[in-house]
Amino acid sequence: MHEQLAPEQTQGLVPSPASGAATVSAPLLPGITTTPDLTVPSHVSSEVRALIAELPEPLKTAVLAALNTPEGVKITMGNAKGGVMKTTLSVYIALVLALTGEPVLLVDADDTNKTCLKWQAAAGDDWPPLVTVVGYTGPAMAKQVTDLMGRGFKHLIIDVGPTDKGVLKTAWMLTKRGIVPTQQHVGDVVQLTTTFDLLKEMGERIDLFVMLAKSFPKRSSYSNAREYIEGLISGESADHPDGLPSVGLLEGTVPLLEGIADTWGSIPDDFAHFGAVLAEALGVPASVIAEREEAWLNELTEAR
């Protein structure tokens, strides 16, 4: 499959896990007025069309949603709390976007850890040429990123460390959209208020999507975390009594899996959970993602 796009593009994508319980349709997330088309645009090359046809779900849905985002996908991965999977999410999403056949700019804006840059270096020749990684922080970051995007990049992912709140604000201004990963533990979700306080200081609308990362969906702490976050968003919490109209909670989650942690420094084989998160963040309802995955799995079963 990967030879159709680039030798380094991907390595043996495997089918995503079967969807669990049926997903209930939910209102569109903040900043999303329509759901993206999920067909291959006419301008896409035959090579990329062939690649997309072979992709598993929900990865295929994510790639199609990205191709039908006219202005390109621009997302900041940021949270004032560290250790919540920001870099892993940034790298996986950037690699998913490379499957569109369009150039991706991945900005490592974590001046302390520089983990995206280290990941690319560790991957060596396996790193896809469509994903360019740069390290920018500080006052010049906005101009540096804007100048680079003007050179033909279609998609932009920014990975922001937890220590520099000014860099996070700059990244949000560049992308106007962000994913805020958090773990389900009480000590993590209560610190979301720090990130949301920064959002309120912006004075400009930034659409954020909270995602539960390293999750254990069957534990009570998972449902408690979702309830707490929904309370913050709706204004039921004393921390944000006015609510957070530009913040949504993704149905998609990335569970705590050893296989994900072990992919650091390499090109992963399985993008399933990350594809679902990206597709939802681009406006595909979680119910549609689940339906498309179920249909694809049924096709596989019938083919056997």
Side-chain angles (χ1 to χ4, degrees):
M1 179 196 314
H2 57 284
E3 289 87 353
Q4 294 173 296
L5 187 55
E8 304 88 352
Q9 194 59 46
T10 183
Q11 296 178 346
L13 295 171
V14 300
S16 59
S19 300
T23 307
V24 178
S25 296
L28 291 177
L29 291 164
I32 297 173
T33 56
T34 59
T35 58
D37 190 5
L38 296 177
T39 59
V40 182
S42 59
H43 69 271
V44 174
S45 69
S46 58
E47 292 80 6
V48 175
R49 286 176 181 273
L51 173 66
I52 293 172
E54 298 297 324
L55 291 178
E57 291 288 2
L59 182 58
K60 180 187 290 186
T61 297
V63 172
L64 291 173
L67 281 167
N68 285 284
T69 303
E71 70 280 8
V73 176
K74 298 175 178 63
I75 304 177
T76 292
M77 311 298 178
N79 187 339
K81 169 78 171 59
V84 290
M85 198 184 262
K86 292 189 298 292
T87 297
T88 300
L89 184 61
S90 298
V91 170
Y92 268 76
I93 296 300
L95 294 173
V96 170
L97 291 172
L99 295 173
T100 63
E102 299 167 329
V104 183
L105 180 63
L106 173 56
V107 179
D108 189 330
D110 184 349
D111 201 31
T112 301
N113 299 308
K114 298 182 173 66
T115 316
C116 289
L117 289 163
K118 292 175 182 176
W119 192 318
Q120 179 195 32
D125 292 340
D126 287 337
W127 189 263
L130 281 171
V131 180
T132 298
V133 187
V134 296
Y136 290 147
T137 57
M141 175 180 161
K143 184 177 187 308
Q144 290 167 326
V145 172
T146 301
D147 288 348
L148 263 186
M149 289 299 293
R151 298 180 188 179
F153 287 96
K154 184 63 181 286
H155 308 293
L156 171 64
I157 300 297
I158 306 180
D159 175 33
V160 182
T163 57
D164 195 330
K165 297 176 177 59
V167 171
L168 180 54
K169 288 182 178 180
T170 299
W172 280 344
M173 287 297 293
L174 287 164
T175 61
K176 305 296 185 183
R177 176 176 292 181
I179 294 178
V180 183
T182 182
Q183 296 189 68
Q184 66 198 54
H185 312 301
V186 174
D188 286 85
V189 293
V190 297
Q191 294 193 55
L192 284 171
T193 56
T194 303
T195 300
F196 295 152
D197 286 341
L198 292 175
L199 176 66
K200 287 195 167 186
E201 294 172 9
M202 294 292 292
E204 189 165 332
R205 183 180 175 107
I206 308 294
D207 294 311
L208 299 183
F209 311 129
V210 181
M211 184 204 77
L212 288 170
K214 302 181 182 179
S215 64
F216 296 89
K218 293 184 179 180
R219 295 186 180 178
S220 59
S221 57
Y222 179 83
S223 55
N224 290 341
R226 292 192 67 89
E227 183 178 353
Y228 174 79
I229 295 166
E230 288 167 351
L232 287 175
I233 293 170
S234 64
E236 297 173 10
S237 168
D239 291 319
H240 290 282
D242 297 329
L244 299 161
S246 68
V247 178
L249 176 59
L250 295 176
E251 292 289 334
T253 180
V254 178
L256 182 62
L257 296 172
E258 185 176 354
I260 293 176
D262 288 345
T263 61
W264 189 92
S266 65
I267 305 302
D269 293 327
D270 184 2
F271 292 89
H273 299 287
F274 298 89
V277 166
L278 177 59
E280 189 181 357
L282 295 179
V284 183
S287 58
V288 173
I289 297 169
E291 289 167 5
R292 288 173 62 88
E293 183 174 5
E294 182 179 4
W296 173 74
L297 289 170
N298 289 338
E299 288 177 6
L300 284 183
T301 301
E302 292 172 1
R304 294 184 185 130

